Amino acid sequence: MLRRNAWIAVFWLALLATFVIYLPGLKGGFLFDDAPNLSPMGAQGGISDWDTFQSFVMSGSAGPLGRPVALASFLLDDFFWPSQPSSFKLTNLWLHLLTGLMLCWSTLNLLRLYGISESRARWAAVLNMAFWLLHPYMLSTTLYVVQRMAQLATLFMLCGLAGYLHGRLLLQQRPASAYLWMSISLTLGTLLAAFSKENGILLPMLAGVIECCVPSRAGSATPPRPDWRWRLVLLWLPSLAVAWALSKEINLSANAWPTRPFNQLERLLTEPRILWEYLFHLYVPRIEGRGLFQDGYVISTGLLQPWTTLPSLLGVAALLVAAIGLRKRLPYVALAILFFFASHLIESTVVGLELYFEHRNYGAALFLFLPLIMALLWVAERKSLFVASVTLIAMLVMLAGLTWQRASLWSDTEALQNYWAANTPESARAQNHLAIRLFQHGQVDEGFALLESATQHLPQSSLLTMQWLLQKVLRQQATTQDFEHVRQLLPQQRFDAQTVLGMRLLTETLIERGASEDYQHQALVTLSLMQTLPQYAAVPLFNRLEPYLRGLLLTSMGRYEEAQVQLLEAIDRYRDIEAALSMVAHMGSSGHPREGLQLLDAAQKAYGSQPDRTLRRSRATYDMEIARLRQALLEDLQGAAHSLNEKNQP
């Protein structure tokens, strides 16, 4: 009896071990995309009422659906920003454990559907959960706060799968309850998952993969397939809709994505190499990998450039063909392969995302270890319980040890980022990070030397060039020749969104510090050059920002009429009341209320056509803010007129 029920002890031990192993990592800080996604919590003094709640939850820009479910979940941890990362990371850890529980239930129902005995199914479900929970690859998703989006999408997809499989098992005895379970589970699971992260829309397709791999001889107790009309509506049509949406993204032109250093064909050639790398590190785990500096990944520009491109493509094709051929005889192998590739369908094909991120495997790897587990259970039953047990224990202990070491590394955010940067010399962002750290620690000469060396090694990086100029300006060391040097390099370099943000920081620095007019003139000339470069002219981000920055510089230089033209153009391009009001306030605070009123009129016109879903605050709040600004500008205008009259009186 003890041996029969030992799976219960393993179940609780896996959950407890995961919690304890992750504890060191809770000390780490926020990373990269955390602040941009969470800082809107503090935009209006915190989340204190329905308007601020709605504004934050509906303000998401990480994906086309806005991810409101994921954003709402962050309010479990805090209503203000800045905040402490530990509470967010702890919630992520609880979600990781909850996702493991749902994986266990899903696996159990899956194996029951596939005709596996109850005892073996329980052991397999618990071990599959343990392998997944303890794998070091899952740590980067769990301890990177903003990847709660990926966690929740996976959790809701698993809830949908678990409920679907539960209904599937009821199909023969209680068909009405079965269809109710399956329909509600897939519908709610898809909606909640998709509004956490867009790849949640893959749930019906993943359920279809499970159906595709039902063994041909799973036993007499195997329930019949759902009615074809139900499958058409709940499985096939949603899957076809995803395929259709992806087909609309196909654009094999040379410059399909101006903001990326690769085009769509190059991305399609590169991703098979990346998928094989994911698989390798899932089956051969390590403590730490590439981290979040992924911009240096070598892009495939042809079938043999690099040479691993063609073998990777052929290998992926061979795996898919083998999975389809084996889906009835070796369903666990087929399921692991097809589920993995189906899960990557959105993030690793034609959509213009960055190339490589570990968190894309959080859901893709759910059943990847099941073939290995089933093989070891077969060894335990048919060959040697001792060999199978020792092998399983050794593997789980190894995974736990690697994950604990990785959690310890993640406990020190600065050391972690420095580790990533030092181990990714091909990443411009990594070298930029190291240079900034040197400047922050007073090692100025070393910082400039690193930037200059990295620019020679990565000559296409505009980010390194702009950082070099920014650091010169911050130290008032920049010369006309330095600005000219940058203008000579930029035409040959790639677009980088961080370069544009660097130009914004440089402009704001010049204005805040009251830099010389020559510096500001050089910045204007640099903006004019960037406007002529195709890699910048094709990007909406730059096209919106360019007249705004030009307007700020011209205002600072006292060229108000020219500045007014530029800021009016910026308001028209932004079509966002939040950005427009900041321009109005800037002009008003410069002592030119008449021009400020003109900008406010333009802002109000743009505001009238702005959709509610893009507003950061309620319309009532904006109406009051517009009225307040108008009143203040009118009073300033009247005060200026009164002062002028007094001055002109004899």
Side-chain angles (χ1 to χ4, degrees), residues 449-477:
L450 176 60
L451 285 174
E452 290 162 5
S453 173
T455 299
Q456 291 179 357
H457 182 59
L458 303 168
Q460 289 191 314
S461 173
S462 57
L463 170 61
L464 296 172
T465 298
M466 190 58 68
Q467 185 64 242
W468 179 82
L469 179 61
L470 176 61
Q471 294 297 335
K472 288 271 188 178
V473 168
L474 287 171
R475 287 159 181 78
Q476 298 183 341
Q477 298 176 5

Side-chain angles (χ1 to χ4, degrees), residues 216-253:
S216 55
R217 293 183 181 179
S220 58
T222 302
R225 289 189 183 276
D227 184 87
W228 70 269
R229 288 162 293 192
W230 184 92
R231 282 182 285 154
L232 174 67
V233 174
L234 271 297
L235 298 182
W236 301 343
L237 288 179
S239 300
L240 288 172
V242 171
W244 177 81
L246 289 174
S247 72
K248 299 283 284 184
E249 295 289 327
I250 295 176
N251 180 356
L252 299 179
S253 62

Side-chain angles (χ1 to χ4, degrees), residues 593-604:
R594 188 181 304 278
E595 288 82 358
L597 285 167
Q598 292 174 359
L599 290 176
L600 186 59
D601 289 337
Q604 198 160 6

Side-chain angles (χ1 to χ4, degrees), residues 20 68 97 100 125 170 211 213 220 246 271 313 349 444 497 558 578 593 630 642 644:
V20 172
L97 295 173
L170 298 174
E211 286 292 338
C213 297
S220 58
L246 289 174
E271 284 298 335
L313 277 167
T349 55
V444 176
E578 196 77 29
R630 187 175 297 280
H642 181 69
L644 183 62

